[in-house]
Amino acid sequence: MTSHFIGIIIHLYICLLEAVCNSDSDTVLGPDINIARESVQVQIGRKKFLIGECHVQGAAPLNITWMKSGKLIIENEKFTLVKIVTEQNTNTRQLWIREMALEDYGQYTCSATNLYGTKKKNVFVKRAVVRETRQESQSNCADKNYFNITVFLTCFAVIVHF
C-alpha cells in the first residue's frame, strides 16, 4: 500500500478599513456652519434659483434659519426652504427663490443656534450682467460640497504551506 502526501496551501487575507474625519475635534457642540458660496450673481427674472446652501454641524437641537437684511425668511410663494439631514449628522438648509426680482438682491444670512451658541454666515446676491452669447450653461463642480474624509485600506497576506 502506497500513500501519497498532498500539499495544502492556505491563503488568508486580512484587511482593515479605517475612515478618519479630518477635523480638530471629534465632537462639535456649538454650531459650525459651512456655506458653499459666499457670493452669487443672478439675472432678474431667473426662476428656481438656489440662493444658498448652509451646512451645519453641532449638538442637537439645532435651530437653522435664513434671513434677508436681518429679516427672517419664511416659506411662502417667493421662497422655498429645503431641509436635508445626512448620515454624517450634517443638517443642510437650502434657500431657493422662485423668481428673482430687483428687491431680492442683497445680503442673505444663514443662522444656526443651539444650547452652546450661535453662528452666522452670509451670502451676497448680486445682479448678473446679461451677455449676448449663446453658450450653454455648464454645471460648476465648485458649487458642490464634498465631505473631508480620508479612507485607509491596509491588507495583510498570510500564506501557510502544509
Side-chain angles (χ1 to χ4, degrees), residues 140-159:
N140 186 352
C141 289
D143 292 344
K144 308 291 185 238
N145 192 355
Y146 299 97
F147 293 103
N148 191 11
I149 295 176
T150 304
V151 176
F152 298 99
L153 180 63
T154 307
C155 294
F156 303 96
V158 178
I159 301 174

Side-chain angles (χ1 to χ4, degrees), residues 103-155:
E103 65 271 10
D104 298 321
Y105 294 103
Q107 177 180 300
Y108 290 80
T109 304
C110 176
S111 176
T113 303
N114 68 7
L115 296 173
Y116 299 96
T118 299
K119 288 275 177 83
K120 296 178 180 182
K121 290 275 180 126
N122 296 322
V123 175
F124 295 93
V125 179
K126 301 173 186 174
R127 188 172 178 179
V129 177
V130 179
R131 295 188 181 146
E132 294 296 325
T133 62
R134 293 182 179 236
Q135 291 179 333
E136 293 287 326
S137 64
Q138 297 178 354
S139 174
N140 186 352
C141 289
D143 292 344
K144 308 291 185 238
N145 192 355
Y146 299 97
F147 293 103
N148 191 11
I149 295 176
T150 304
V151 176
F152 298 99
L153 180 63
T154 307
C155 294

Side-chain angles (χ1 to χ4, degrees), residues 51 65-74 78-79 81 95 97 100-111 121-126:
I51 297 283
T65 59
W66 277 98
M67 296 175 281
K68 181 181 185 301
S69 303
K71 186 177 178 183
L72 181 66
I73 296 174
I74 58 170
K78 182 166 212 50
F79 293 106
L81 298 165
L95 176 62
I97 192 162
M100 197 68 190
L102 187 59
E103 65 271 10
D104 298 321
Y105 294 103
Q107 177 180 300
Y108 290 80
T109 304
C110 176
S111 176
K121 290 275 180 126
N122 296 322
V123 175
F124 295 93
V125 179
K126 301 173 186 174

